[in-house]
Amino acid sequence: NGIRVGDGGRLEFCGAEANGSYGIQAGTQASVSRCTASGNTNAGIHLDLGAVATSCTAQANGSDGIAALGAGCVVIGCSAISNRNDGISVGPGAVVRDCVARQNLDSGIFVGLGGGGLVVNNECTGNGGGSSDAGIHLQGSCRADGNHVVANNPYGIITTSSGSVVIRNTATANTNGYNFAAGTTYGPIQTGTGAITNLNPWANFSY
């Protein structure tokens, strides 16, 4: 690994480039802030249980940009660009907020099984290519709220198991805007451009 942060540690204003595994690996309840990770052969930034990443950038890494697979991780204000797998991949109970995920080969943001994920106010553009890839891909009982997904393939937002809530999102220029598994709760989808005629406050948009 390029940089290893121990349990409960704090890392700020550092960069990790072209390392043979993770760029930055943060232990349980560690904090990583204003760091960059690029060109590493594994994930750019790897977070263990309850760790936090804020205002970080992960670009062109050989796996996920940010892999926060331990329960209860928080990723806020980060960007994940042109990574080989998912831009941001998180486990159960995670929060992903105010992030940008662009041109990653798998999904922009992926939330795995385990439930409780919160994905809010993110922008995901040009991600995907595989059969279940998306700007945002949700498993388990997650909530996707207020995200903007653009030109993702094949889906803007997809749920592949029951229990998620999808509300107040906007999707444009995706191969398919939305695809929901049985048991998903979602706001009505208004399609097309022009005046907004659906006054439901939970509506999603596809145009």
Side-chain angles (χ1 to χ4, degrees):
N1 302 326
I3 302 172
R4 164 72 178 165
V5 187
D7 294 350
R10 182 175 180 177
L11 182 71
E12 293 184 322
F13 297 105
C14 291
E17 182 176 359
N19 294 285
S21 185
Y22 301 123
I24 297 170
Q25 185 174 14
T28 298
Q29 297 180 335
S31 173
V32 181
S33 179
R34 295 182 174 88
C35 293
T36 62
S38 61
N40 301 286
T41 60
N42 207 320
I45 300 172
H46 184 277
L47 305 179
D48 289 340
L49 179 72
V52 177
T54 57
S55 303
C56 293
T57 299
Q59 183 171 1
N61 295 287
S63 182
D64 300 327
I66 298 173
L69 305 181
C73 290
V74 176
V75 182
I76 297 176
C78 295
S79 63
I81 302 170
S82 300
N83 297 287
R84 185 171 294 277
N85 292 347
D86 299 316
I88 300 170
S89 180
V90 298
V95 174
V96 183
R97 192 181 77 206
D98 298 329
C99 292
V100 172
R102 300 175 65 90
Q103 297 178 335
N104 299 287
L105 293 185
D106 292 340
S107 293
I109 297 172
F110 174 76
V111 185
L113 290 170
L118 183 61
V119 181
V120 179
N121 293 343
N122 303 285
E123 190 271 335
C124 301
T125 298
N127 302 286
S131 62
S132 61
D133 289 338
I136 298 172
H137 181 177
L138 305 177
Q139 296 181 343
S141 300
C142 306
R143 187 177 105 205
D145 187 349
N147 302 285
H148 187 50
V149 291
V150 181
N152 300 284
N153 181 35
Y155 303 107
I157 298 177
I158 186 173
T159 66
T160 50
S161 60
S162 63
S164 288
V165 175
V166 181
I167 53 176
R168 300 188 299 190
N169 300 284
T170 53
T172 184
N174 303 283
T175 306
N176 303 278
Y178 302 92
N179 190 318
F180 300 138
T184 301
T185 300
Y186 56 92
I189 298 172
Q190 172 159 331
T191 59
T193 58
I196 296 173
T197 57
N198 191 326
L199 300 183
N200 189 307
W202 309 114
N204 297 287
F205 295 85
S206 182
Y207 58 98

